[in-house]
Amino acid sequence: MRSMSALIESAALSDFIAALGDDAVISDPEALHEWRDPFAHPTWDDYTASAVVLPATVEQVQDVVRIANRHGVALWTHSTGRNFGYGGPAPRVRGSVIVSLRRMDRVLEIDEECAYAVVEPGVRWFDLYEAIQAGGHRLMLSIADLGWGSVIGNTLDHGVTYMPYGVDMGMQCGMEVVLPDGTLMRTGMGAMPGNRSWNVYKRGLGPTPDQLFMQSNYGIVTKMGVWLMPEPEVYMPLWLRVWRDDDLGPVIDTLRVLMLEGTIRMVPQLMNTMLLGAVLSKRSDWFAGEGPMPNEAIDRMARELEIGRWCMRFALYGDEAVVDHRFAKIREAFGRIPGAEVWGTKVAPKDIPSLEHPAERIQGGVPNLDWNNMTAWYGGEEGGHIGFSPVGRLTGADGIALRDLLRGMVQDAGLDYIAGLLPVNARSFVHITMVIFDTKDLAQTTAAYDVSRRLVVEAAKRGYGEYRAHLDFMDLAAEQYSFNDHAYRRFTETIKDALDPNGILSPGKQGIWPVRLRPER
Amino acid sequence: MRSMSALIESAALSDFIAALGDDAVISDPEALHEWRDPFAHPTWDDYTASAVVLPATVEQVQDVVRIANRHGVALWTHSTGRNFGYGGPAPRVRGSVIVSLRRMDRVLEIDEECAYAVVEPGVRWFDLYEAIQAGGHRLMLSIADLGWGSVIGNTLDHGVTYMPYGVDMGMQCGMEVVLPDGTLMRTGMGAMPGNRSWNVYKRGLGPTPDQLFMQSNYGIVTKMGVWLMPEPEVYMPLWLRVWRDDDLGPVIDTLRVLMLEGTIRMVPQLMNTMLLGAVLSKRSDWFAGEGPMPNEAIDRMARELEIGRWCMRFALYGDEAVVDHRFAKIREAFGRIPGAEVWGTKVAPKDIPSLEHPAERIQGGVPNLDWNNMTAWYGGEEGGHIGFSPVGRLTGADGIALRDLLRGMVQDAGLDYIAGLLPVNARSFVHITMVIFDTKDLAQTTAAYDVSRRLVVEAAKRGYGEYRAHLDFMDLAAEQYSFNDHAYRRFTETIKDALDPNGILSPGKQGIWPVRLRPER
C-alpha cells in the first residue's frame, strides 16, 4: 500500500472554514473516524483523511477547489461516500481533504414530458424516488442495489443499475462540472446558454466529455441529468433457478441470445448459491468448520433455501401482451436446460412497493437496504467485503473460465466464493466477486486483501480486466491496462496535467496520478 | 470565411512520398480538384488542400503524423470523405494535407456469437454489408442514408443511422487511435493486452475516451467495433402520412410517447413534403417560378405524390406477435390525429433487398444511394446542399417553433424549406434543414450560405444548437456554445494543446483550434 501522506496545514484549514463556515469543516480525528473505509481493519490508517469539507453550493465547491490550489492541498471527492467494497468515502492519498457533497442534495427538476430529472450529487436513490412519488409522476427510476447510494456517485464510478436504462448506463444525460481550476462547465447542449436540450440529447457540438468525468479525477460533477422510464402497463419480476454448478454455461449462452434479440432488456443478476444465501442467511446456519464451505453444504443451502446452485433475478417491463409473449419465450428457452425453472408474477407498477422480496423491489425501482445483509455472512455486525469485478464476454465459456479461476483462488485463500454476474449489456458481464470477511479478524481480512491483489493479476493474465477498482488495488488494476507501453495511462495523465497542473483533485483515482505525485514506474 | 493558409513545403512532400510511396501522395492541383467540397461554388478555394496522402496501414498513419510534426504541416483526416452537406472531404484550413483513409478498407472481424464487427476507417456501409452477407451471418447493420459513407467516419461525426442501435449511436464499442504524437492507443478493455471484451463492453478502467474522438481533432481512429443486430423474425417498415402542415405538433407528441414506452425503438425520419418530394421528383415538375415554392404547389405535390404534408418513415423489428401488437398500438395512437394514415407490410429479413422503396431498404440495413437524388431538386446534376441541423426536445411545441423559424428564414432567402426531423432518441430530435441550391448558380449558392450563417445565430438565440456544423460555419456554431465565457471551448482547447502541442491534427475542426492557429476572439 502506498504510504503517501499530505497532512493539511492550519492555514488551509482556516481558509476552508472562512469559505464554508465552521460546521462545514471536520478535522477532529475522532470525528474523522466515520470517513474511513468501513471495511478496512481498525488498525490500518493508509487512507485516513486530514479533514472533511461539506460544501452546500456550487460556488462553495469552486471556493474549495481554489483554496486547494492556493495551498497545494490534495482533495478527494465523493458524492455520498457509499462506495462500499471499493474504499467507501476514504481518499487514495493519506491526509487528503475529503470533499463530501452530501449537503448538495436537491432534486432540481423532474420533467414529466421528456421523462428526466436533474439532481445534485448528494441526492440518494431514496431521495429521487421519494421526489418522483411526491410529485405524482408516473415515472420509474433505475436504481442500484442499495438505496443509500448517490445517483451521481454511482454513475461516476460506472456503478450498475438494473432497469432498461441501466443497460450500458443509458440514463445519464448532461453534466455540470467544476474543473480543477474552479471553472464551471456544462457539457453537451448545456454549453449553450438557454438551451433546453441539455438533458434530452446526449451530445453537443464537438467532443462529448461526460464519460471523461466518470472514474477519473478531472472535475467535480455538481449537476447531472437522469433519464426516467414511464411506468409500463406491467412489471414482471422473474426468477431462474438451476441445480448444477455447471449449468452456468448454458444459462449464460441462453441469456445472451435472449438479450441480443431484445426479449430481455435490463440488467439481470445471476447469483451463485452463496451470494443469495448470504442475503437470506448466515454461514453458521450451514457450516461451522474452517476454510471454504464444502460442496455438500452448498448443495444443502441450495435445496433448503430453494435458491439452486445458480439463481437469476431479472424482469420484464411493458404491455401485458408483450410481457406474456416474452415470458413464454424465456421459459421455453431456459427450459432446454435440464431441471431449470423460471417463474414470476405480473404486477401493476403501483404495487411494487409492497412486493416482499427486496430484489423484486430493486428491479422495480423501489430502493431499500436489504441487499446489504450479505456482508454479515461470517457473523456479527462487522462484516466487510472487497469487490473484485472483472469483465467478460457474455458467453458460457467465459463465465465458466472466470468461475473456475476465481473460485479456485478464493478458496485457496480459505474464503468462500460468493459471486454475482451482471450482464450490463447483451454482450458482456461484470463478474462481481464478493470477497467477504470479518473486519474484526485481522488474519481473515489480510487473507482477503492478499487474494484480491493476486486476483487482479491472474485475471488480467487471462485477458479479464476490472470494471472498477478498490482503493488498495487501483494502481495494480490500472497497471494491467498496459497496451503499447501504457499508452492509455499516458493519455489520461497528459489530460490530468493539462486540466489540473497543481495536482489537487483526487490524486491516484483509478491509477491516474498528477505529475507532482506520480510514482516511479 | 477564414483565409488561413498552410501550403506544404517540398521537403515535407518528399518525406510523405518516402514513407508511403509515390502512388499514395497526390499534389497535382488538377487531381486535387476531386478533394474539394463538392458543393462549394467552383470559384471558391477557401478549403483547398495542398496534398492528399493515402496511408494503407496503421504504421503509415503513424508515419504521416510524425512527418507532420517534424515539418509543422496541418493535416485534415477523413475516412472516406463523404461528409456531404458539411464540407465533404475538404479541410478547414486551406493548404492542409488531407489524410484520406480510403485505402484502410478491411473488415477485420465479424463475431457471430457476440454480434459485432471490427472495421478500418475506409470500410463503407456497402462493404460491411457485403462482408456480413458473404460470411452468411444472420446479422443486420444499422446504416446511414447513403451507402457510400464510412462506418467510422459517420460515427465520428455523430452521424445518424436508423435501426435500434442507431438510437444515441449505441453501436460503437472500442477504438484504436493514433494520437497526434504518433502513439497508438486502444480504448476501453482494448487497453489490456489480450482482453477479448474490447468490442463488447463499452468502458474500461478509468475514464472512457471514445466520445472524445468524435467531432474532434484529438486523434485518428484506425479501428472501431460496431455492434450488429441479430436478424429479427419480422421486419415491418412503416409509413405515417398527415395532410396539414400543423399536424407536425401532434405527430411529434404522439411519437414521443410511443418512443418513451419503447413501442418504437429506432430512429424515424419525419419529412416534409419537399424532402420526400425531392427524392421522388424535381422542382420543375411542380413550380416554374422564382422564389420559394408556394403553398398551393406544395399541397399539389403532397396529393399527387401521395406523401402528405408530413410523412414519416419508421419501422418495427422483432417477433411477429410483438410487431403485430405494436403496429395496432401505433395505428391507434396516430389515428387520433384527423386524417392521419399509418401503413406497412411485414417481411422476412431475407426479403429486404428486394423491397422497392429505398427508405424501406435503408431502415432494413441494405445500403443504397437513392436518397441522394434530392440534391438535384433545382435541376441538373450539380445540386448541392448545406445541412443546417439544430437539436430540439422531442415535443410538438419545439417542432413547430423550429419549423416556423427555419421556414421563415429560408423562404425569406428565396429558397425552399426542405426538412427532415430525426428523433435520435425518445426525448430529442435533430432537425435537418436541407438548404439545397444549384452549385452552378452563384447568386443562389451565396444566398444559401448567407441564410445558413444567419440560421446558426438565430436558432441559438432561441436555445437550439447544431449537432454538427459545416466547414464554413464551424467557428460560428461553436461560438454559440458560450456558457460561462466559453468554458467548454477552453476545456476542449486545453486538451487539444496537451495532446497536440504542435497543432498538426485537423486544426479548426468543430471550432477547436490549437494554440499556434487560435484566432483572436
Side-chain angles (χ1 to χ4, degrees):
Chain A
M1 273 167 262
R2 174 169 300 271
S3 62
M4 195 169 283
S5 163
L7 290 176
I8 188 170
E9 291 163 20
S10 63
L13 210 56
S14 304
D15 281 1
F16 285 129
I17 291 169
L20 308 185
D22 236 341
D23 74 321
V25 179
I26 300 166
S27 61
D28 171 60
E30 197 67 27
L32 287 174
H33 200 79
E34 70 161 297
W35 303 86
R36 294 175 71 253
D37 179 351
F39 302 153
H41 193 266
T43 62
W44 298 350
D45 74 341
D46 303 84
Y47 305 117
T48 306
S50 301
V52 178
V53 296
L54 294 145
T57 65
V58 172
E59 294 70 25
Q60 288 188 347
V61 173
Q62 293 177 288
D63 286 343
V64 165
V65 164
R66 289 182 189 126
I67 292 167
N69 271 292
R70 216 152 56 223
H71 293 278
V73 169
L75 303 175
W76 182 266
T77 313
H78 67 229
S79 297
T80 57
R82 296 297 190 180
N83 190 29
F84 287 14
Y86 301 95
R92 174 67 187 80
V93 172
R94 187 163 178 276
S96 297
V97 172
I98 291 176
V99 183
S100 177
L101 304 169
R102 292 181 189 174
R103 290 190 182 172
M104 296 179 67
D105 61 356
R106 291 178 303 164
V107 175
L108 298 166
E109 188 183 351
I110 296 178
D111 186 299
E112 175 93 29
E113 186 174 49
C114 287
Y116 67 84
V118 180
V119 297
E120 292 187 327
V123 172
R124 304 167 309 155
W125 303 109
F126 284 130
D127 304 322
L128 183 50
Y129 172 77
E130 279 163 26
I132 293 166
Q133 299 309 307
H137 303 290
R138 301 197 54 188
L139 298 168
M140 291 170 81
L141 171 66
S142 183
I143 62 172
D145 283 309
L146 300 178
W148 63 19
S150 156
V151 178
I152 288 184
N154 186 72
T155 304
L156 297 189
D157 272 317
H158 294 181
V160 178
T161 71
Y162 298 97
M163 285 172 26
Y165 285 127
V167 175
D168 280 323
M169 292 201 309
M171 62 202 280
Q172 181 270 326
C173 189
M175 274 183 184
E176 180 185 83
V177 186
V178 173
L179 297 176
D181 69 353
T183 299
L184 190 69
M185 180 174 91
R186 290 185 175 174
T187 68
M189 288 296 165
M192 174 176 280
N195 191 309
R196 295 181 64 236
S197 303
W198 185 22
N199 305 116
V200 296
Y201 180 71
K202 292 209 169 197
R203 298 176 177 85
L205 186 77
T208 309
D210 300 49
Q211 295 271 342
L212 212 60
F213 295 105
M214 302 185 189
Q215 286 204 358
S216 79
N217 45 21
Y218 299 151
I220 299 178
V221 176
T222 49
K223 291 184 180 65
M224 193 181 85
V226 183
W227 284 359
L228 306 171
M229 183 175 85
E231 283 183 357
E233 189 174 286
V234 162
Y235 164 58
M236 187 178 196
L238 296 172
W239 295 93
L240 162 75
R241 180 170 59 193
V242 292
W243 293 99
R244 288 165 313 186
D245 202 19
D246 281 350
D247 287 339
L248 177 63
V251 164
I252 292 178
D253 284 326
T254 305
L255 180 63
R256 184 186 64 253
V257 172
L258 292 168
M259 289 184 76
L260 277 172
E261 72 184 22
T263 298
I264 297 173
R265 197 158 74 83
M266 46 81 67
V267 179
Q269 194 172 120
L270 180 56
M271 301 163 276
N272 72 356
T273 312
M274 268 190 283
L275 182 74
L276 191 50
V279 175
L280 305 172
S281 67
K282 291 216 187 308
R283 189 175 201 267
S284 53
D285 300 341
W286 311 103
F287 182 63
E290 292 286 303
M293 188 183 287
N295 214 27
E296 300 69 40
I298 298 173
D299 268 334
R300 195 158 61 81
M301 264 178 93
R303 279 195 312 275
E304 294 188 15
L305 292 175
E306 300 181 325
I307 54 181
R309 284 304 293 253
W310 290 92
C311 182
M312 186 167 77
R313 63 178 223 202
F314 60 123
L316 292 165
Y317 311 80
D319 290 351
E320 186 162 10
V322 174
V323 166
D324 287 344
H325 172 84
R326 293 192 160 160
F327 177 59
K329 199 167 180 186
I330 288 165
R331 194 145 59 169
E332 197 261 316
F334 285 117
R336 285 175 227 134
I337 302 168
E341 299 149 283
V342 176
W343 71 96
T345 311
K346 291 179 283 186
V347 299
K350 69 173 172 46
D351 296 325
I352 298 171
S354 46
L355 288 169
E356 195 184 343
H357 201 296
E360 301 191 343
R361 279 176 276 129
I362 290 167
Q363 297 178 128
V366 179
N368 58 72
L369 291 176
D370 301 4
W371 221 248
N372 209 19
N373 286 348
M374 66 177 82
T375 48
W377 178 237
Y378 287 102
E381 297 294 301
E382 303 296 332
H385 73 273
I386 295 167
F388 172 71
S389 315
V391 172
R393 285 163 63 99
L394 188 57
T395 72
D398 285 274
I400 295 283
L402 268 171
R403 180 203 64 184
D404 289 349
L405 174 69
L406 307 183
R407 184 177 57 187
M409 290 181 64
V410 168
Q411 291 188 345
D412 284 350
L415 298 165
D416 291 322
Y417 168 64
I418 303 177
L421 277 67
L422 278 52
V424 292
N425 62 42
R427 294 166 174 81
S428 66
F429 62 84
V430 176
H431 182 304
I432 311 278
T433 319
M434 300 287 288
V435 184
I436 293 181
F437 51 91
D438 178 349
T439 59
K440 285 277 171 62
D441 180 339
L442 180 59
Q444 194 179 46
T445 304
T446 303
Y449 275 75
D450 286 347
V451 70
S452 297
R453 204 169 287 114
R454 286 195 302 275
L455 284 169
V456 173
V457 176
E458 292 303 318
K461 279 186 194 161
R462 291 158 183 82
Y464 300 108
E466 275 201 284
Y467 99 108
R468 181 179 186 176
H470 185 280
L471 280 185
D472 263 87
F473 317 119
M474 278 182 179
D475 286 331
L476 187 65
E479 186 67 30
Q480 310 308 313
Y481 290 77
S482 63
F483 175 78
N484 190 20
D485 191 23
H486 289 280
Y488 171 69
R489 187 168 69 192
R490 285 182 279 134
F491 174 84
T492 59
E493 293 189 340
T494 298
I495 292 179
K496 177 64 178 170
D497 291 340
L499 296 175
D500 184 11
N502 298 323
I504 55 121
L505 197 58
S506 299
K509 173 85 177 165
Q510 302 302 350
I512 302 171
W513 291 97
V515 64
R516 73 164 171 132
L517 297 170
R518 197 163 300 151
E520 295 274 349
R521 286 163 181 156
Chain B
M1 272 166 261
R2 174 170 300 271
S3 62
M4 195 170 283
S5 164
L7 291 176
I8 188 171
E9 289 161 24
S10 62
L13 211 56
S14 305
D15 281 1
F16 284 129
I17 292 170
L20 307 185
D22 235 341
D23 74 321
V25 180
I26 300 167
S27 61
D28 171 58
E30 198 66 27
L32 288 174
H33 199 79
E34 70 160 297
W35 304 85
R36 296 175 70 252
D37 179 351
F39 303 153
H41 193 268
T43 63
W44 297 351
D45 75 340
D46 302 84
Y47 304 117
T48 305
S50 300
V52 179
V53 296
L54 294 146
T57 64
V58 172
E59 292 71 24
Q60 288 189 346
V61 172
Q62 292 176 289
D63 287 343
V64 165
V65 164
R66 290 181 188 127
I67 293 167
N69 272 292
R70 216 152 57 222
H71 293 278
V73 170
L75 303 175
W76 182 265
T77 313
H78 67 230
S79 296
T80 57
R82 297 295 191 180
N83 189 28
F84 287 14
Y86 300 94
R92 174 68 187 81
V93 173
R94 186 163 177 274
S96 297
V97 172
I98 291 175
V99 183
S100 178
L101 303 169
R102 291 182 190 174
R103 291 190 182 172
M104 295 177 68
D105 60 356
R106 290 179 303 164
V107 175
L108 298 166
E109 188 182 351
I110 296 178
D111 186 298
E112 174 95 27
E113 187 175 49
C114 286
Y116 66 83
V118 180
V119 297
E120 291 188 325
V123 171
R124 304 167 308 155
W125 303 110
F126 285 129
D127 304 322
L128 183 49
Y129 173 76
E130 279 163 24
I132 294 167
Q133 298 309 308
H137 304 290
R138 300 198 54 188
L139 298 169
M140 290 171 81
L141 171 66
S142 183
I143 62 172
D145 283 309
L146 300 178
W148 64 18
S150 156
V151 178
I152 289 184
N154 186 72
T155 304
L156 297 189
D157 271 318
H158 294 182
V160 178
T161 70
Y162 298 97
M163 283 172 28
Y165 285 126
V167 175
D168 281 324
M169 292 200 309
M171 63 203 278
Q172 182 269 325
C173 189
M175 273 183 185
E176 180 186 85
V177 187
V178 173
L179 297 176
D181 68 354
T183 299
L184 190 69
M185 179 174 92
R186 290 186 175 173
T187 68
M189 289 296 165
M192 174 177 280
N195 191 308
R196 293 181 65 237
S197 302
W198 185 22
N199 305 116
V200 296
Y201 180 72
K202 291 209 169 198
R203 298 176 175 84
L205 186 77
T208 310
D210 300 49
Q211 295 270 340
L212 212 60
F213 295 105
M214 302 186 190
Q215 286 204 357
S216 78
N217 46 21
Y218 298 151
I220 299 178
V221 176
T222 48
K223 291 183 181 66
M224 193 180 86
V226 182
W227 285 358
L228 305 171
M229 184 175 86
E231 284 184 356
E233 187 174 288
V234 163
Y235 164 58
M236 187 179 197
L238 295 172
W239 294 93
L240 162 74
R241 180 170 59 192
V242 292
W243 292 99
R244 288 165 314 188
D245 203 19
D246 282 350
D247 287 338
L248 177 63
V251 164
I252 292 177
D253 284 326
T254 304
L255 180 62
R256 184 187 64 255
V257 172
L258 292 168
M259 288 183 76
L260 276 171
E261 71 184 22
T263 298
I264 297 173
R265 198 159 73 85
M266 45 80 67
V267 179
Q269 194 171 119
L270 179 56
M271 301 164 274
N272 72 357
T273 312
M274 269 189 285
L275 182 75
L276 192 49
V279 176
L280 304 172
S281 66
K282 291 215 188 307
R283 189 176 201 265
S284 54
D285 300 340
W286 311 102
F287 182 61
E290 294 286 303
M293 189 183 286
N295 214 26
E296 300 69 37
I298 298 173
D299 268 334
R300 195 158 60 81
M301 263 179 95
R303 279 194 311 274
E304 294 188 15
L305 292 175
E306 300 181 324
I307 55 181
R309 284 304 293 253
W310 290 93
C311 182
M312 186 167 78
R313 64 177 222 201
F314 60 123
L316 292 167
Y317 311 80
D319 289 352
E320 186 161 11
V322 173
V323 166
D324 287 344
H325 173 84
R326 294 194 158 158
F327 178 59
K329 199 168 181 187
I330 289 166
R331 194 143 63 167
E332 197 261 318
F334 285 118
R336 285 174 226 135
I337 302 168
E341 298 148 284
V342 176
W343 71 96
T345 310
K346 292 179 282 186
V347 298
K350 70 174 173 43
D351 296 324
I352 298 172
S354 46
L355 287 169
E356 194 185 344
H357 201 296
E360 301 190 342
R361 279 177 276 130
I362 291 167
Q363 296 177 129
V366 180
N368 58 73
L369 291 175
D370 300 6
W371 221 247
N372 209 19
N373 286 347
M374 66 176 82
T375 48
W377 178 235
Y378 286 102
E381 297 293 302
E382 303 297 331
H385 72 273
I386 296 168
F388 172 72
S389 315
V391 172
R393 283 162 65 98
L394 189 58
T395 73
D398 285 273
I400 295 283
L402 268 172
R403 180 202 64 183
D404 290 350
L405 173 70
L406 306 183
R407 183 176 59 186
M409 290 182 65
V410 168
Q411 291 188 345
D412 284 351
L415 298 165
D416 292 322
Y417 168 64
I418 303 177
L421 276 69
L422 278 52
V424 292
N425 62 43
R427 292 165 176 82
S428 66
F429 62 84
V430 177
H431 181 304
I432 310 279
T433 319
M434 300 288 288
V435 184
I436 292 181
F437 51 91
D438 178 349
T439 59
K440 284 278 171 61
D441 179 339
L442 181 60
Q444 194 181 47
T445 304
T446 305
Y449 276 75
D450 287 348
V451 71
S452 298
R453 204 168 286 116
R454 286 195 301 276
L455 285 169
V456 172
V457 176
E458 293 303 318
K461 279 186 193 162
R462 290 158 183 82
Y464 300 108
E466 275 200 283
Y467 99 108
R468 178 179 188 177
H470 185 281
L471 279 186
D472 262 86
F473 317 120
M474 277 182 179
D475 286 332
L476 187 65
E479 187 66 31
Q480 311 308 312
Y481 291 77
S482 63
F483 175 79
N484 190 21
D485 191 23
H486 288 280
Y488 170 68
R489 188 168 67 193
R490 284 182 280 132
F491 174 84
T492 58
E493 293 188 340
T494 298
I495 291 178
K496 177 65 178 170
D497 291 339
L499 296 176
D500 184 11
N502 298 324
I504 55 121
L505 196 58
S506 300
K509 174 86 178 166
Q510 301 303 350
I512 302 170
W513 290 96
V515 63
R516 72 164 172 133
L517 297 170
R518 197 164 297 151
E520 296 274 348
R521 286 163 181 155

